[in-house]
Amino acid sequence: MGSPKASAAIFPLILDIEDFKGDFSFDALFGGLVNELLPSFQEDDADAADGAGGQDMFPNGTLRGPQGAATPMFPAVEELLALFKDSCKELVDLREQIDRRLQNLKKEVEIQDSKHRKTLAELEKGVDGLHQSFQRLDTRISSVGQTAAKIGDHLQNADSQRKTASQTIELIKYLMEFNSSPGDLMELSSLFSDDSRVAEAASIAQKLRSFAEEDVGTQGINMPSAVGAANASRGLEVAVANLQDYCNELENRLLSRFDTASQRLELSTMAECAKILSQFNRGTSAMQHYVASRPMFIDVEVMNTDINLVLGDQGLQAGPNNVARGLSTLYKEITETVRKEAATIMAVFPSPNDVMSILVQRVLEQRVSAILDRLLEKPSLVNLPPVNQGGLLLYLRIFAVAYDKTEDLARELQSVGCGDLDAEGLTESLFLSHKDEYPEYEQASLNQLYQSKMEELHVEAQQQSESMGTISRSKASVSPSAGQQISVTIVTEFVRWNEEAISRCTVFSSQPATLASNVRSVFACLLEQVSQYLTGGLERARESLNEAAALRDRFVIGASVSRRVAAAAASAAEAAAAAGESSFRSFMIAVQRCGSSVAILQQYFSNAISRLLPPDAHAASLEEMGTAVSSVEGAAQKGLQQCIDTVMAEVERLLSSEQKTTDYRSPDDGNAPDHRPTNACMRVVAYLSRVLESAFSALEGLNKQSFLTDLGNRLHKGLLSHWQKFTFSPSGGLRLKRDITEYGEFVRSFSAPSIDEKFELLGIMANVFIVAPESLASLFEGTPSIRKDASRFIQLRDDFKTAKLTAMLNSFMSNS
């Protein structure tokens, strides 16, 4: 806003280029132009609005008054138009000014750009030249550097050769001193007697010794004769001998100093001596000397303390658990001792791993081996240690405990650090002789336990027999276990022994093939034990059956005896029958326990043995177990047949004593026929129900089915034979049929269809006694298979002769 305009505008208007710089705002520019005019217009507009009561407004912004005169509604419009025109003109002028400036600036920029390009081209040429100069300089510097390096190498080689020559001169001088006279070490330089220069003296002595020994060896090879070799190396041989003496003396002196420092726990002095001694045989003598001087290897009381800690006052009789606790305590103490020694070794020796290897090896081979020798004294397999003192089992249990704890010790020592030593492998070698003979000891132990258990049962049976007074002392000595039943608890004890043995097998058998072999042999011991025990128990139960049979045979009497004798015999027969029934129950209990024992054996094989065996060994063990079980089943089958014999003998006795001739030939007294079973039938069924109760509970599966089927067949056959002794009236036939029905209902509990069918056919055959003679021919038309047995029944009719049935029977048989 600077210069006034000559237009009709009242207010001056000034536009400048500076107004358009920075944050330009058109609204601000416009407001600056019109703000001075608009306030007066707003006042005029307000006044015009108030005084234009009845005035009309035209579309062009003017008002019509009452007389029709037109008044402008926006009086400043002319001024604004003039203002806007002047502003536009100034804006055009400003644009032209700016365009001229831009043209000038473009020209100046082009000129400056041309100059800049020219300058850049000149600079590029200069830089290229400078770069080439730098490359030449770098090449020159590299060449000079290589030359300097070569010169340095030559100088270094020359210096090294100078030093080597100087050292060689020194060594030759020292060698001449050692070559002066044999055994004379008094004229040596002060270097070899100065305690402050021991390390230097040791280094030089080793160099001289190596040189002299190499020279002597070379001369001995190159010279054509031993005499020539002796002449050529005579002087050096003296030097070698003197150097050997000096090195020995120096080594002993250092070891003595090392011992003194060790007693005073002066680790720095020990480390210094160890470092110097490492030049002698790589420090082996120092390492071995240090390890050998440890108190646990030289103090006899340490060994006695170890033995007392592990075994206590009771020795091996303290038991595996006490031995395990003692070994744990001892091995923990050994580990702590080795750990403390490791700290000293790390601080003293330049090669601590080698020292740790020697230390751990000495611990295992001396201290641990000594305690193992006391613990694992192999018992004789010829004269076994008594079971009451632990037997072979005590040795095996302590062996397992010692092996386990010592393996743990080896792992602990390995973690502490033992260099390249295989501590676990060395530990394994300590037990090698025991592991080689382990299978024989394990089997012998199982056999010893079995024999001991059998002797224990023998004594118990003998004491029981003597206390009961049932058998004499002499008989007890022959058959001490005659009254002893099989015990599942004892078989479980056999399995427990075997399970413990198998657990040891898995510990001592590192290879799968060895494990399979040992497991098979140990399991075979169990099979033999179970087979022998169960078979023996069944045989003893069979002896009771045999004794009952002997009692029955003893009291069989003839028909022509007195009444008194017959009564005595009947009483004795009752006693024999009671003995037979008791023996039957005892055998069934034995069979039941055998089944439980075999189930335990098979379950043990499935759970514990099979997973340890490869397929071929698994199949072989299954076959061996099958053989053992078959031997038990064979003994059981023999006994079951004897049980059937015992039952049938009693059935026959009851039928013989209880069946009356009048049972099937009722007298014609006019009374109604008796439809109840005969007394003999009821006695037999009651006996069978009572005695077979134990069989039903003891037997199962195929054994039960086979036993009941055999018994049913024997009962059927025995009844047929028994009834052949009687004649039957029609009413007797009805009673016989009632007996057959009773027998049939009982044998139905056998669940044997073939037996049920036989007794049903018996019922049909009983009809031959009931029907009229003329109906017999048609009676068996539907069942021709029983005509043979039926023909024998027909002959038992009480009217067989009077009814003249012989011809009919012959015709009946011919048609069959």
Side-chain angles (χ1 to χ4, degrees), residues 469-481:
T470 57
I471 55 176
S472 64
R473 184 179 300 274
S474 61
K475 185 176 181 181
S477 63
V478 175
S479 180
S481 303

Side-chain angles (χ1 to χ4, degrees), residues 189-311:
S189 300
S190 59
L191 167 67
F192 299 104
S193 58
D194 189 352
D195 289 341
S196 62
R197 301 176 66 188
V198 172
E200 183 182 357
S203 176
I204 291 176
Q206 286 299 315
K207 291 179 181 178
L208 293 175
R209 183 179 173 185
S210 175
F211 172 76
E213 289 177 348
E214 181 180 355
D215 183 74
V216 170
T218 302
Q219 290 294 337
I221 293 173
N222 294 334
M223 292 303 292
S225 65
V227 175
N231 292 332
S233 58
R234 182 179 303 163
L236 292 183
E237 287 179 349
V238 172
V240 167
N242 287 338
L243 283 168
Q244 181 65 51
D245 292 342
Y246 174 75
C247 287
N248 291 340
E249 186 271 335
L250 179 59
E251 187 174 7
N252 291 333
R253 183 154 39 109
L254 287 170
L255 287 174
S256 177
R257 184 187 299 179
F258 183 88
D259 285 341
T260 302
S262 177
Q263 293 174 3
R264 297 175 180 175
L265 297 178
E266 298 174 354
L267 298 183
S268 59
T269 304
M270 293 172 64
E272 180 184 356
C273 294
K275 183 177 180 180
I276 298 172
L277 286 168
S278 65
Q279 302 181 46
F280 298 95
N281 298 322
R282 297 182 179 179
T284 303
S285 60
M287 300 176 191
Q288 293 177 344
H289 183 79
Y290 174 78
V291 171
S293 64
R294 298 304 88 201
M296 60 177 158
F297 301 131
I298 60 177
D299 191 351
V300 179
E301 287 302 319
V302 172
M303 179 56 61
N304 295 333
T305 303
D306 291 349
I307 297 296
N308 186 62
L309 178 62
V310 175
L311 297 179

Side-chain angles (χ1 to χ4, degrees), residues 40-321:
S40 61
F41 164 74
Q42 292 173 353
E43 293 175 359
D44 294 342
D45 185 46
D47 294 339
D50 293 337
Q55 295 177 347
D56 297 328
M57 182 179 294
F58 291 100
N60 61 358
T62 62
L63 296 175
R64 184 182 295 276
Q67 291 81 21
T71 304
M73 184 183 65
F74 193 30
V77 66
E78 296 297 334
E79 295 178 3
L80 288 173
L81 287 174
L83 175 65
F84 289 157
K85 288 178 181 179
D86 291 343
S87 298
C88 287
K89 184 178 179 181
E90 285 195 15
L91 287 172
V92 170
D93 294 339
L94 289 175
R95 184 180 65 183
E96 291 176 352
Q97 292 177 19
I98 291 171
D99 288 342
R100 286 193 298 273
R101 285 186 184 183
L102 286 175
Q103 290 296 328
N104 293 334
L105 287 174
K106 285 182 180 178
K107 291 179 181 179
E108 291 180 4
V109 168
E110 289 176 356
I111 294 171
Q112 293 298 326
D113 182 64
S114 176
K115 291 181 180 179
H116 180 67
R117 290 178 183 276
K118 183 177 180 180
T119 303
L120 284 178
E122 293 175 354
L123 287 175
E124 285 180 358
K125 292 179 181 180
V127 169
D128 290 341
L130 183 62
H131 182 67
Q132 293 176 0
S133 299
F134 276 128
Q135 284 184 336
R136 289 193 297 272
L137 179 61
D138 182 65
T139 302
R140 181 62 179 167
I141 290 173
S142 298
S143 176
V144 172
Q146 292 176 359
T147 303
K150 291 180 181 178
I151 294 173
D153 290 341
H154 287 305
L155 291 174
Q156 186 175 6
N157 291 334
D159 184 66
S160 176
Q161 292 175 1
R162 182 187 64 78
K163 289 182 179 179
T164 302
S166 176
Q167 292 175 358
T168 303
I169 293 172
E170 288 291 324
L171 290 175
I172 292 174
K173 183 183 72 171
Y174 293 138
L175 185 62
M176 294 301 295
E177 293 180 3
F178 280 99
N179 193 38
S180 59
S181 60
D184 185 10
L185 302 179
M186 301 301 295
E187 301 298 329
L188 297 177
S189 300
S190 59
L191 167 67
F192 299 104
S193 58
D194 189 352
D195 289 341
S196 62
R197 301 176 66 188
V198 172
E200 183 182 357
S203 176
I204 291 176
Q206 286 299 315
K207 291 179 181 178
L208 293 175
R209 183 179 173 185
S210 175
F211 172 76
E213 289 177 348
E214 181 180 355
D215 183 74
V216 170
T218 302
Q219 290 294 337
I221 293 173
N222 294 334
M223 292 303 292
S225 65
V227 175
N231 292 332
S233 58
R234 182 179 303 163
L236 292 183
E237 287 179 349
V238 172
V240 167
N242 287 338
L243 283 168
Q244 181 65 51
D245 292 342
Y246 174 75
C247 287
N248 291 340
E249 186 271 335
L250 179 59
E251 187 174 7
N252 291 333
R253 183 154 39 109
L254 287 170
L255 287 174
S256 177
R257 184 187 299 179
F258 183 88
D259 285 341
T260 302
S262 177
Q263 293 174 3
R264 297 175 180 175
L265 297 178
E266 298 174 354
L267 298 183
S268 59
T269 304
M270 293 172 64
E272 180 184 356
C273 294
K275 183 177 180 180
I276 298 172
L277 286 168
S278 65
Q279 302 181 46
F280 298 95
N281 298 322
R282 297 182 179 179
T284 303
S285 60
M287 300 176 191
Q288 293 177 344
H289 183 79
Y290 174 78
V291 171
S293 64
R294 298 304 88 201
M296 60 177 158
F297 301 131
I298 60 177
D299 191 351
V300 179
E301 287 302 319
V302 172
M303 179 56 61
N304 295 333
T305 303
D306 291 349
I307 297 296
N308 186 62
L309 178 62
V310 175
L311 297 179
D313 298 332
Q314 297 179 349
L316 293 175
Q317 297 303 315
N321 292 334

Side-chain angles (χ1 to χ4, degrees), residues 275-417:
K275 183 177 180 180
I276 298 172
L277 286 168
S278 65
Q279 302 181 46
F280 298 95
N281 298 322
R282 297 182 179 179
T284 303
S285 60
M287 300 176 191
Q288 293 177 344
H289 183 79
Y290 174 78
V291 171
S293 64
R294 298 304 88 201
M296 60 177 158
F297 301 131
I298 60 177
D299 191 351
V300 179
E301 287 302 319
V302 172
M303 179 56 61
N304 295 333
T305 303
D306 291 349
I307 297 296
N308 186 62
L309 178 62
V310 175
L311 297 179
D313 298 332
Q314 297 179 349
L316 293 175
Q317 297 303 315
N321 292 334
N322 290 331
V323 170
R325 285 192 291 270
L327 281 176
S328 297
T329 303
L330 173 62
Y331 287 168
K332 183 177 181 181
E333 177 189 333
I334 290 176
T335 303
E336 290 302 319
T337 301
V338 171
R339 186 173 281 108
K340 291 178 181 178
E341 291 293 344
T344 302
I345 290 170
M346 294 294 293
V348 170
F349 289 93
S351 301
N353 288 337
D354 295 338
V355 186
M356 288 300 298
S357 176
I358 297 172
L359 175 64
V360 173
Q361 182 176 357
R362 186 74 176 267
V363 166
L364 294 175
E365 290 181 345
Q366 180 173 328
R367 192 171 181 186
V368 174
S369 180
I371 191 67
L372 292 179
D373 290 342
R374 290 291 302 272
L375 286 176
L376 303 178
E377 297 178 0
K378 285 185 182 179
S380 171
L381 290 176
V382 178
N383 298 317
L384 302 181
V387 176
N388 58 5
Q389 295 180 9
L392 291 177
L393 183 60
L394 177 62
Y395 162 73
L396 291 171
R397 285 176 172 173
I398 292 179
F399 178 19
V401 165
Y403 184 83
D404 180 60
K405 296 300 181 182
T406 308
E407 285 289 309
D408 290 343
L409 171 65
R411 285 188 285 271
E412 287 292 329
L413 294 178
Q414 197 86 44
S415 66
V416 172

